[in-house]
Amino acid sequence: MNIFKKQLVISFLLLSLLACGEEKTKTVKAVDFNMNGIGLEEGVMRRDPSDIIKVGDLYYVWYSKGLISSGYDATVWYATSKDGKNWTEKGEALAKGKPGTWEGESVFTPNILVAEGKYWLFYTGVSRKFKQPYNPDSKIGIAVSDSPDGPWERLATNPALTNSDNPDDFDSHLVDDACLIVKDGKYWFYYKGRQQGKSPAKTKMGVAIAEQPQGPYVKHPENPVIPGNHEVFVWTQGKGVAAMIGTTGPEDITNTIQYAEDGIHFTETHDLVNSPTAAGAYRPEAFTESGKGEIPEWGVKIGRPNRKKGELPFIQGFKLKLSE
């Protein structure tokens, strides 16, 4: 074998070894399962479930419930379960606000924070009746209770987060979809926003931070922290924050999991298969600052109704499976 051929063989072997040593792309796949008690039901819409908490031996979840698919006629309801699959609907947690107020026509898209021995229910409200074409004017409020079963008292300082007055800001049209964690001794409130004149496909994610669970929440100066994502699903992971990105946004971030140790500057860590719509999850470390947070094992999402049969959205479960 001449010197030239030897060099080619050596180069090929080196490249092969390097390729074998490269870290394979990790993939997370969501596998759906049906739930009893809050699943598919004729004439009833349930959607936009919260993250799940466990109190004693019961799991709790909150969600929008109404009669129209969009959820813009909804109020906030809740259910409990001992196993995460069979649920008992307990009733309405939060009614619409007073007529004519920012939350007078609908309250929906709830999420939960547990802090300082209390339960803090974050929710979106709108003041306009639903009719096509619809231009929502959503803001986010907070209600507090000593028990996950209520009663809930709205904060006098509501709304806790409003759309920006600057038309050039990413959230000048609306804010929605709260998701809460505790980080660095503060309360981090991730949310989605849309700019005036933009379509839902141009939704982006921001964060606001407070010293106390009731606020005031101050929007981060580097917002938007993620340049896409129609649903907000974050969790604590190690020292940082992870976010699941669905099908909305720039192609290089959709259907991925992103991570940021500082909670602000996100980069991809996993590909995502079968992205769950409007997901919430059981995140036992979300409010603890334990440093033990991991990718959630299971959660809840909007089930896919059969429009041809006239089905309305419902709550469905999913499990997350990690593979390479």
Side-chain angles (χ1 to χ4, degrees), residues 38-49 63-71 277-278 301-307 310-316:
I38 55 175
L40 182 63
E41 183 177 346
E42 185 176 354
V44 177
M45 180 282 300
R46 295 183 183 91
R47 59 176 294 153
D48 304 319
Y63 46 89
S64 313
K65 183 180 179 181
L67 299 174
I68 62 175
S69 180
S70 67
T277 303
K301 58 167 226 172
I302 299 177
R304 296 183 176 90
N306 187 328
R307 300 299 187 191
E311 293 175 353
L312 292 169
F314 55 97
I315 309 297
Q316 193 172 38

Side-chain angles (χ1 to χ4, degrees), residues 227-228 245-246 249-258 267-268 270-271:
I245 312 299
E251 186 176 348
D252 62 329
I253 69 166
T254 54
N255 297 306
T256 67
I257 291 177
Q258 305 271 325
T267 56
E268 180 181 344
H270 297 76
D271 289 331

Side-chain angles (χ1 to χ4, degrees), residues 8-70:
L8 283 176
V9 171
I10 291 170
S11 297
F12 176 78
L13 289 172
L14 286 172
L15 287 172
S16 298
L17 288 170
L18 286 170
C20 291
E22 289 180 355
E23 185 177 352
K24 294 180 180 179
T25 300
K26 293 181 180 179
T27 299
V28 171
K29 182 178 182 180
V31 179
D32 300 340
F33 66 90
N34 290 327
M35 291 181 157
N36 300 317
I38 55 175
L40 182 63
E41 183 177 346
E42 185 176 354
V44 177
M45 180 282 300
R46 295 183 183 91
R47 59 176 294 153
D48 304 319
S50 70
D51 290 300
I52 298 162
I53 62 170
K54 192 173 187 180
V55 183
D57 64 349
L58 286 178
Y59 294 107
Y60 281 76
V61 68
W62 290 260
Y63 46 89
S64 313
K65 183 180 179 181
L67 299 174
I68 62 175
S69 180
S70 67

Side-chain angles (χ1 to χ4, degrees), residues 286-305:
F287 313 133
T288 68
E289 290 198 273
S290 66
K292 297 179 181 179
E294 298 178 339
I295 295 174
E297 294 182 0
W298 67 282
V300 284
K301 58 167 226 172
I302 299 177
R304 296 183 176 90

Side-chain angles (χ1 to χ4, degrees), residues 13-322:
L13 289 172
L14 286 172
L15 287 172
S16 298
L17 288 170
L18 286 170
C20 291
E22 289 180 355
E23 185 177 352
K24 294 180 180 179
T25 300
K26 293 181 180 179
T27 299
V28 171
K29 182 178 182 180
V31 179
D32 300 340
F33 66 90
N34 290 327
M35 291 181 157
N36 300 317
I38 55 175
L40 182 63
E41 183 177 346
E42 185 176 354
V44 177
M45 180 282 300
R46 295 183 183 91
R47 59 176 294 153
D48 304 319
S50 70
D51 290 300
I52 298 162
I53 62 170
K54 192 173 187 180
V55 183
D57 64 349
L58 286 178
Y59 294 107
Y60 281 76
V61 68
W62 290 260
Y63 46 89
S64 313
K65 183 180 179 181
L67 299 174
I68 62 175
S69 180
S70 67
Y72 285 110
D73 70 330
T75 59
V76 175
W77 286 59
Y78 80 112
T80 62
S81 173
K82 288 189 175 184
D83 61 6
K85 182 177 180 180
N86 299 289
W87 293 82
T88 300
E89 188 166 73
K90 305 297 286 187
E92 186 179 71
L94 199 71
K96 297 177 184 180
K98 294 180 180 179
T101 66
W102 66 274
E103 54 180 337
E105 289 300 329
S106 181
V107 289
F108 54 95
T109 321
N111 217 329
I112 194 72
L113 167 68
V114 182
E116 298 185 353
K118 295 181 182 293
Y119 301 87
W120 307 83
L121 187 64
F122 287 64
Y123 64 95
T124 302
V126 295
S127 65
R128 299 172 185 165
K129 288 185 179 295
F130 180 81
K131 61 180 181 180
Q132 295 288 8
Y134 188 57
N135 193 21
D137 60 339
S138 60
K139 297 171 175 57
I140 299 174
I142 306 172
V144 64
S145 175
D146 293 326
S147 166
D149 296 292
W152 298 93
E153 180 181 353
R154 287 170 161 91
L155 301 189
T157 50
N158 281 343
L161 199 73
T162 62
N163 51 305
S164 173
D165 292 329
N166 182 348
D168 295 328
D169 287 344
F170 89 102
D171 58 357
S172 57
H173 179 56
L174 59 79
V175 293
D176 187 14
D177 208 6
C179 190
L180 289 302
I181 63 165
V182 177
K183 178 176 168 58
D184 302 330
K186 298 180 181 180
Y187 300 94
W188 291 55
F189 171 178
Y190 289 88
Y191 67 97
K192 72 181 182 186
R194 196 196 318 164
Q195 187 179 356
Q196 290 182 16
K198 302 293 184 180
S199 74
K202 300 296 183 180
T203 304
K204 300 177 181 180
M205 271 179 59
V207 66
I209 302 172
E211 301 282 347
Q212 305 173 91
Q214 65 268 35
Y217 284 89
V218 179
K219 296 177 182 179
H220 197 278
E222 293 191 53
N223 279 347
V225 295
I226 292 179
N229 207 27
H230 191 64
E231 295 96 9
V232 182
F233 178 17
V234 304
W235 59 89
T236 53
Q237 187 167 305
K239 296 180 179 179
V241 182
M244 182 175 287
I245 312 299
T247 58
T248 301
E251 186 176 348
D252 62 329
I253 69 166
T254 54
N255 297 306
T256 67
I257 291 177
Q258 305 271 325
Y259 174 80
E261 187 163 324
D262 64 359
I264 302 298
H265 302 96
F266 287 84
T267 56
E268 180 181 344
T269 60
H270 297 76
D271 289 331
L272 178 63
V273 177
N274 190 31
S275 169
T277 303
Y282 179 52
R283 312 172 305 159
E285 307 299 328
F287 313 133
T288 68
E289 290 198 273
S290 66
K292 297 179 181 179
E294 298 178 339
I295 295 174
E297 294 182 0
W298 67 282
V300 284
K301 58 167 226 172
I302 299 177
R304 296 183 176 90
N306 187 328
R307 300 299 187 191
K308 292 181 179 180
K309 293 183 178 180
E311 293 175 353
L312 292 169
F314 55 97
I315 309 297
Q316 193 172 38
F318 66 89
K319 294 182 179 180
L320 294 179
K321 296 188 176 182
L322 178 64

